[in-house]
Amino acid sequence: MTQILQPQPIFLKDYQSPDYLIPRVNLEFNLDSEQTIVRSNLSLKRNQNTPENAPLVLNGGDKLLLVEVKLNGLKLEPNNYKITESNLIIPDVPQAFTLEITTKINPAANQSGSGLYQSNGNFCTQMEPEGFRRVTFFLDRPDVMSIYTTKIIGDKNTLPILLSNGNLSAEGDLEGGLHYATWQDPFPKPCYLFALVAGNLGVVRDSFVTKSGREIAIAIYVDPGNETRCQHAINSLKKAMKWDEDVFNLEYDLDQFMIVAVNDFNAGAMENKGLNIFNASLVLADPQTATDDNFLRIESVVAHEFFHNWTGNRVTCRDWFQLTLKEGLTVFRDQLFSADLNSPAVQRIHEAKFIKIVQFAEDSGPNSHPIRPQSYIEINNFYTSTVYDKGSEVIRMIQTLIGPKLFAAGIAKYFELYDGQAVTTEDFLNAMHLASGLDFTQFQRWYDQAGTPICAVELVFDQEQATCELIVEQSCPPTPGQEEKLPFYFPLSIGLLAPDGSEIPLVLSNQSLGTTTNLVIKEQKQRFLWTEVKEKPVPSLLRNFSAPVKLQYDYTLEELLHLLSYDTDLVTRYEAAQRLTHQAISSLENDSEVAVDVEKIVTAFAGLIGDSSLDAAFRAEVLTMPPLSAIVESMNPIDYERADRGREALITILAKGTYETLVKTFGELLPSLEGAYSIQPEVMGKRALKNTILGYLTRIDQDFFDLTFSQLVKATNMTDEYAALRILVNYESEKTQEGLRLWQEKWHDEPLVMNKWFQAQASSRLASVSMVTVLANNPYFDKYNPNKLRVLYRSFASNPLAFHKVNGEGYQLIANKMIEIDSYNSNIAANLATCFYQYQKLDSVRKELMRNNLTRIVNSEGISPGVYEIISKTLGDK
Ligand code: TRP
Ligand code: ZN
């Protein structure tokens, strides 16, 4: 292509320690919407091994307005330094010195969600990964750690609240209606953990007493009026504080912990030291405006950011290639926490489902990368499901391999060795090795090799010998830049079910291993011979989703039905249901060689739905059909229409075939859901099952369609209200239009609730380019709000039938929007760019249409390096 200056990747292998260190940072912000003055007073010193003549190269660049720079108190003249596109270079500096740098920035004009910007008139920051360089010239890299003092000056009237990291050390009034606050953070930190917030905010306070008896002041800051929606976040935070002490012996270290909710935020939330900043959608909750899923998500994200205080802040990353060091580990910690608070099996089913649908797709697409990438153009593109969620699975495998006790010892070792440092994933494995004695050399491949391993299992039963042999073979398909893969090291959890449904005691080389055991897989091919197996068993494989691999086994329909009835591991039991639906869907579209007896599946599902001894949340999951993106996974080329026909046919067959059970179960659930709204796991499970059943019944029974409409109108909680909306939007009906109109009338002043309204429509079966265009012109849409961009464009581009419409208008719309958004928020634009990931697997007509748009994007002037990186990889020209 004719891109003149193609952005260049940076490589992990080129890592070098910083030439200069910055032990102390003094910042002063004079806040003003359009002209904020930032004074940065730095103490610098040359690093060991840095040659004497090494220039000081700070990140910043010619778009950041430099007012003045002084070295050891003396003002530098322009011929003493150089400013390039991305650096301020001072060629001649002593061994130790101070720099005073004054910059001027325009927060009001900053729509990027990075650096210092304004949201609803409030000032806030987002520095991770590389936002600090938009505020002042600095060594913007995580291995430069400093002690920060921050003075904030602002208008007392409009900015009564002035916050930064650490402890408040001084505050007071100044002339001209101004006031100030000075914050000191005693812990050294990289600049990506710096935060500043200033505005007119309401506050909700609480406190927590740590295990050593210190009282921590908790404060949550929100837009005035939202104070009543903070209790759930507070409860979640206090549970997380206690949990981290109980499970990992980790106590909070500052005297106060603050959370700020902001409306405009690129990601979910950010773990800035002592001052977490959250997307308001992940703080605010009450029964009327938040769904059960929102409540659960808030609980886990509040915990996640809090847990970062140790895994991420006290021990941080040496460089951004190590991102999974803090993210994989912290996701794993928040998952353990959520499992302890809710149903562990259902929690695990959600995790496994997410990995399979989202992460496996990423792993088999153009942006496939290992959890620790070897190169990047734009680090923002690597905040991925692979780094976060597969990263968590990798940590989980370590815990499975060495056991929870040694794992906790490994975590203790990690802090003993590396507290206060910026380290690598090898350092983490070293701590685990020292605590457990396990050799992690082969395990390290999980960090370096991309792609999803395939674990193929065969079973050979010998009636005479009463033995059952499991033959396990692993392989991994090539990914971009990695043709050959070496065998992975992982635990494969298994059980064997007898024909009567009981669990067979596992005996291997005369050793009794109970009824569930972890096989350690490390060779390309391994055999395990189980003795004392008298009848041919049905293997239950990859129990509890013990490794992020694709499990292949040639299950017959009968074997899957057997697992669905008897498996004691709910994750593999759920998986059996998924396999059955996949088989049925391809059989209904004549995709498979053998016709599947769908009637048997219907009967089994009916039994399961009506089985009130099973967790309602589990039954709701079983009833939820896999999304189209999962169904097309095995197709080449992809045929969404056919997958959709099969899926829709199966849902209707299931609805009709289980009608009586559905109606009966629905009727039984209703009374138990009356009364005050509760977020106890059992109650949430019942609501989920009730609403899933409602979706089935609505499609075959007009009475239930009417009931869905009246649920929308009469609901007293958002879970039911939104569930009804999500069902209605798939039907072309006056009631649907009426429901949408009523929603807007009722909720137009609540941006978070309006997000649901946009999302439901953009994700619906009726979504189209013209609908999206109308929605984008809705007065409550805001193209500068990242949440709004996500719920409209990202939802649409993840809605295959609409996005991949064969006239190409979906591709064109998203390409146009992406180019437009890229001009002010390249982070969100690059995220939208990943929606084209199926390009190589499309039929020739769609592929051509998509290619035209992709080439148009890479050739459009001034496109950001982040978008360039994703799109050029999608096109396959590296
Ligand atoms: N570190 C954040 C987390 O807890 C992620 C994050 C917040 C982020 N804001 C961001 C990532 C902006 C990229 C850009 O996972
Ligand atoms: Zn995180």
Side-chain angles (χ1 to χ4, degrees):
M1 302 295 114
T2 49
Q3 184 102 8
I4 302 153
L5 271 178
Q6 287 179 356
Q8 293 303 306
I10 70 161
F11 293 90
L12 168 60
K13 64 175 165 47
D14 294 341
Y15 172 82
Q16 285 187 332
S17 52
D19 281 343
Y20 293 86
L21 300 177
I22 313 179
R24 188 191 48 74
V25 176
N26 271 285
L27 297 172
E28 187 187 286
F29 288 82
N30 266 281
L31 294 176
D32 179 86
S33 292
E34 269 134 49
Q35 303 201 15
T36 287
I37 303 290
V38 184
R39 289 196 183 82
S40 165
N41 184 319
L42 310 175
S43 75
L44 289 107
K45 64 176 191 211
R46 199 178 292 140
N47 206 351
Q48 311 153 351
N49 308 327
T50 302
E52 259 178 46
N53 58 358
L56 175 69
V57 182
L58 300 177
N59 304 102
D62 54 19
K63 276 179 228 88
L64 176 60
L65 188 72
L66 178 67
V67 177
E68 184 185 80
V69 53
K70 287 180 178 171
L71 196 156
N72 282 337
L74 291 176
K75 186 173 162 167
L76 295 186
E77 297 304 325
N79 62 341
N80 299 132
Y81 59 85
K82 196 171 125 197
I83 293 186
T84 70
E85 207 188 327
S86 48
N87 295 110
L88 165 64
I89 303 168
I90 308 179
D92 201 10
V93 292
Q95 196 271 329
F97 56 102
T98 62
L99 271 188
E100 289 159 79
I101 303 169
T102 307
T103 49
K104 190 158 90 179
I105 54 179
N106 183 343
N110 181 0
Q111 301 287 356
S112 69
S114 168
L116 177 67
Y117 64 98
Q118 277 188 303
S119 174
N120 283 23
N122 300 323
F123 290 85
C124 66
T125 54
Q126 172 56 37
M127 299 313 194
E128 184 182 8
E130 298 180 331
F132 203 75
R133 63 186 63 182
R134 292 168 177 260
V135 171
T136 182
F137 294 91
F138 201 75
L139 289 172
D140 188 359
R141 44 187 292 167
D143 56 357
V144 171
M145 298 171 81
S146 324
I147 304 267
Y148 283 73
T149 304
T150 306
K151 182 171 181 183
I152 311 168
I153 301 167
D155 183 78
K156 193 173 177 178
N157 241 330
T158 55
L159 308 173
I161 304 283
L162 304 172
L163 308 174
S164 189
N165 318 85
N167 303 311
L168 183 67
S169 64
E171 60 183 330
D173 288 346
L174 300 167
E175 275 170 32
L178 299 177
H179 71 150
Y180 77 95
T182 306
W183 292 82
Q184 280 181 327
D185 182 358
F187 294 95
K189 64 170 179 285
C191 65
Y192 85 83
L193 290 172
F194 173 82
L196 175 154
V197 170
N200 179 15
L201 297 162
V203 59
V204 180
R205 296 186 192 279
D206 207 314
S207 69
F208 176 80
V209 179
T210 68
K211 65 184 165 96
S212 73
R214 290 186 308 113
E215 183 166 331
I216 313 295
I218 292 171
I220 301 199
Y221 293 89
V222 295
D223 281 342
N226 280 334
E227 293 87 345
T228 52
R229 295 177 173 168
C230 298
Q231 196 54 48
H232 179 62
I234 297 226
N235 296 347
S236 304
L237 175 63
K238 289 165 81 175
K239 286 179 198 171
M241 290 178 138
K242 177 80 170 70
W243 187 91
D244 220 9
E245 294 183 349
D246 292 347
V247 177
F248 289 114
N249 198 27
L250 296 171
E251 183 176 332
Y252 185 62
D253 52 11
L254 287 164
D255 299 334
Q256 50 182 311
F257 187 80
M258 300 176 280
I259 289 178
V260 182
V262 302
N263 293 303
D264 303 284
F265 200 72
N266 275 350
M270 180 63 211
E271 69 265 26
N272 317 300
K273 184 81 188 185
L275 180 57
N276 289 358
I277 298 182
F278 273 61
N279 191 317
S281 70
L282 288 165
V283 175
L284 305 177
D286 61 29
Q288 282 66 49
T289 59
T291 63
D292 293 348
D293 289 345
N294 294 149
F295 275 90
L296 285 172
R297 181 99 186 109
I298 289 169
E299 180 178 89
S300 95
V301 177
V302 167
H304 177 98
E305 306 309 333
F306 174 74
F307 294 156
H308 267 314
N309 189 58
W310 280 94
T311 51
N313 301 2
R314 287 289 287 254
V315 179
T316 193
C317 302
R318 186 192 71 173
D319 55 75
W320 290 121
F321 294 103
Q322 317 297 327
L323 184 58
T324 200
L325 173 84
K326 75 176 175 80
E327 296 303 347
L329 178 55
T330 305
V331 170
F332 179 57
R333 278 152 50 68
D334 83 53
Q335 291 178 347
L336 289 181
F337 170 75
S338 294
D340 277 353
L341 263 57
N342 302 289
S343 153
V346 174
Q347 161 84 15
R348 191 65 189 135
I349 288 170
H350 288 157
E351 289 158 11
K353 184 168 150 183
F354 193 80
I355 291 275
K356 285 195 229 174
I357 293 171
V358 179
Q359 200 281 322
F360 284 6
E362 190 167 88
D363 242 353
S364 65
N367 300 312
S368 176
H369 52 276
I371 64 168
R372 186 177 62 174
Q374 279 125 27
S375 73
Y376 61 75
I377 290 176
E378 169 58 66
I379 185 55
N380 269 304
N381 288 337
F382 289 81
Y383 287 73
T384 58
S385 179
T386 298
V387 167
Y388 276 64
D389 306 302
K390 185 178 180 179
S392 166
E393 294 300 320
V394 169
I395 305 292
R396 183 183 296 270
M397 287 191 285
I398 298 175
Q399 193 201 38
T400 306
L401 289 165
I402 67 179
K405 264 204 171 137
L406 289 180
F407 182 79
I411 293 287
K413 193 69 174 171
Y414 179 60
F415 292 115
E416 179 194 320
L417 293 174
Y418 305 118
D419 188 10
Q421 298 175 45
V423 304
T424 64
T425 58
E426 279 88 354
D427 294 323
F428 180 80
L429 290 182
N430 179 45
M432 286 293 154
H433 162 71
L434 292 176
S436 67
L438 192 72
D439 179 353
F440 284 93
T441 317
Q442 185 182 354
F443 190 83
Q444 170 75 38
R445 286 176 195 158
W446 283 108
Y447 286 85
D448 298 325
Q449 296 189 146
T452 308
I454 294 166
C455 177
V457 180
E458 264 179 72
L459 181 148
V460 182
F461 175 64
D462 186 329
Q463 182 90 58
E464 259 162 53
Q465 305 288 321
T467 60
C468 166
E469 188 173 38
L470 281 185
I471 305 157
V472 182
E473 243 185 301
Q474 62 162 310
S475 60
C476 183
T479 50
Q482 285 186 343
E483 283 307 309
E484 302 290 328
K485 317 272 178 170
L486 297 167
F488 290 88
Y489 185 109
F490 62 93
L492 176 64
S493 175
I494 67 129
L496 299 175
L497 294 191
D500 69 356
S502 64
E503 297 265 347
I504 298 175
L506 300 169
V507 183
L508 185 75
S509 317
N510 287 325
Q511 247 194 308
S512 284
L513 300 172
T515 53
T516 297
T517 195
N518 283 306
L519 306 177
V520 177
I521 306 301
K522 47 189 171 194
E523 318 289 340
Q524 192 259 321
K525 187 169 185 173
Q526 278 165 266
R527 292 164 184 274
F528 302 87
L529 190 72
W530 309 96
T531 54
E532 299 168 44
V533 182
K534 296 185 186 69
E535 291 162 292
K536 188 177 180 195
V538 179
S540 166
L541 302 166
L542 203 64
R543 286 189 152 175
N544 204 38
F545 196 58
S546 62
V549 301
K550 280 184 193 159
L551 193 271
Q552 280 182 1
Y553 185 84
D554 235 338
Y555 283 114
T556 63
L557 181 76
E558 270 65 32
E559 288 176 317
L560 290 173
L561 292 171
H562 195 69
L563 290 172
L564 187 61
S565 299
Y566 299 112
D567 202 335
T568 54
D569 184 291
L570 284 186
V571 176
T572 35
R573 197 165 174 187
Y574 164 79
E575 184 55 24
Q578 290 289 297
R579 280 173 194 266
L580 284 167
T581 55
H582 277 283
Q583 285 192 4
I585 289 166
S586 35
S587 162
L588 286 168
E589 273 303 302
N590 300 320
D591 256 3
S592 51
E593 296 114 62
V594 273
V596 172
D597 190 345
V598 178
E599 274 316 302
K600 285 189 180 166
I601 300 180
V602 171
T603 311
F605 271 55
L608 215 129
I609 300 159
D611 183 351
S612 55
S613 72
L614 285 167
D615 199 337
F618 174 75
R619 288 182 278 160
E621 280 307 328
V622 170
L623 258 190
T624 304
M625 293 299 109
L628 285 186
S629 63
I631 298 168
V632 300
E633 232 245 326
S634 51
M635 292 181 170
N636 198 1
I638 285 173
D639 187 342
Y640 282 111
E641 269 101 12
R642 190 163 63 169
D644 183 61
R645 279 196 305 272
R647 187 177 183 275
E648 291 297 304
L650 179 62
I651 299 177
T652 303
I653 290 171
L654 276 172
K656 290 184 174 155
T658 64
Y659 181 77
E660 264 89 58
T661 315
L662 290 174
V663 173
K664 182 165 174 283
T665 310
F666 188 82
E668 285 163 7
L669 288 165
L670 276 188
S672 66
L673 288 168
E674 277 159 17
Y677 176 82
S678 150
I679 54 162
Q680 275 169 356
E682 310 82 61
V683 182
M684 287 194 285
K686 285 182 178 171
R687 256 192 305 271
L689 181 57
K690 183 207 77 179
N691 287 325
T692 309
I693 291 177
L694 187 59
Y696 274 83
L697 291 174
T698 293
R699 73 170 49 213
I700 57 165
D701 186 337
Q702 179 66 36
D703 288 351
F704 279 93
F705 181 86
D706 295 343
L707 192 65
T708 300
F709 181 76
S710 74
Q711 175 169 315
L712 176 83
V713 179
K714 292 187 200 140
T716 54
N717 66 74
M718 185 44 68
T719 307
D720 285 341
E721 197 166 337
Y722 188 49
L725 184 71
R726 302 259 351 189
I727 296 170
L728 280 187
V729 289
N730 295 307
Y731 297 91
E732 233 165 323
S733 140
E734 274 176 25
K735 287 243 162 94
T736 301
Q737 291 315 311
E738 173 73 355
L740 287 166
R741 197 185 57 72
L742 289 171
W743 187 291
Q744 174 167 335
E745 199 176 282
K746 179 175 174 190
W747 292 120
H748 59 85
D749 284 338
E750 294 292 347
L752 297 177
V753 185
M754 283 308 285
N755 288 348
K756 298 186 193 314
W757 185 86
F758 285 105
Q759 179 150 33
Q761 295 180 74
S763 319
S764 78
R765 297 188 63 77
L766 306 179
S768 65
V769 164
S770 58
M771 178 202 273
V772 171
T773 310
V774 171
L775 290 173
N777 288 318
N778 182 287
Y780 302 103
F781 187 75
D782 171 7
K783 70 171 190 171
Y784 293 113
N785 177 257
N787 289 352
K788 288 282 183 302
L789 295 174
R790 262 189 293 269
V791 293
L792 187 59
Y793 299 120
R794 174 93 207 175
S795 299
F796 174 80
S798 311
N799 180 350
L801 293 180
F803 180 54
H804 293 283
K805 206 171 151 192
V806 74
N807 63 10
E809 62 176 16
Y811 304 154
Q812 202 181 348
L813 172 81
I814 293 302
N816 290 348
K817 288 299 154 187
M818 209 182 75
I819 293 168
E820 185 192 333
I821 296 165
D822 193 44
S823 67
Y824 58 88
N825 188 331
S826 58
N827 206 322
I828 298 292
N831 184 270
L832 213 45
T834 62
C835 294
F836 294 105
Y837 75 105
Q838 297 283 33
Y839 169 66
Q840 299 288 357
K841 297 178 194 159
L842 297 175
D843 59 78
S844 55
V845 175
R846 288 182 173 83
K847 201 169 171 179
E848 161 95 35
L849 288 164
M850 195 183 269
R851 179 167 52 243
N852 295 338
N853 283 290
L854 296 180
T855 44
R856 184 159 67 87
I857 297 165
V858 279
N859 291 330
S860 77
E861 214 184 286
I863 202 82
S864 69
V867 168
Y868 171 79
E869 178 173 40
I870 304 274
I871 300 292
S872 60
K873 282 180 181 169
T874 306
L875 281 163
D877 39 48
K878 299 245 165 65

